[in-house]
Amino acid sequence: MTHDPALSAEGDLLTRAEAAALLSAMGVRMKAATLARMWSTRDDGPPVRHIRSKPYYPRALLEGWGRSQISDLRTGAPPAAKGRRHG
C-alpha cells in the first residue's frame, strides 16, 4: 500500500456526525443530515472522501470550509443586499 502525503496533510478523517460536531464547535451549526443533503443535492458543501460507500471529512479541509462560512464582522448589510427590494 502506498502512502499519499496529501492525505496526511488533510488530517484525520471524521464521520459525518463528528464533522457536524466540529463545525458546531466552530460556530457553524449544521446537522449531520444537512451535510448529507449538501453532498447529495448541492455542490457547495465541505470536501468529503468516501471509503467504500461511507463518507469521511478530512479535518483540515473541513476546518477550512467551516472558516469560509463565517463572514467578517459587519456593521450593516453588504451593498448587494441593500439593492434588493423586499415585498
Side-chain angles (χ1 to χ4, degrees):
M1 184 167 126
T2 61
H3 179 71
D4 186 345
L7 294 177
S8 295
E10 294 174 356
D12 45 322
L13 297 174
L14 305 176
T15 65
R16 210 167 252 155
E18 292 168 336
L22 176 67
L23 289 171
S24 182
M26 295 176 65
V28 181
R29 293 184 180 107
M30 189 170 291
K31 294 179 182 179
T34 303
L35 289 172
R37 190 170 47 258
M38 288 180 86
W39 186 83
S40 65
T41 63
R42 297 171 47 178
D43 62 359
D44 61 344
V48 64
R49 292 194 179 280
H50 281 80
I51 298 175
R52 297 194 179 232
S53 62
K54 187 164 176 134
Y56 291 94
Y57 295 81
R59 180 183 295 274
L61 298 178
L62 182 66
E63 289 171 340
W65 183 86
R67 283 189 298 275
S68 76
Q69 302 304 298
I70 302 170
S71 74
D72 292 331
L73 288 175
R74 298 179 181 162
T75 57
K82 289 179 182 175
R84 292 186 211 136
R85 297 208 181 258
H86 297 280

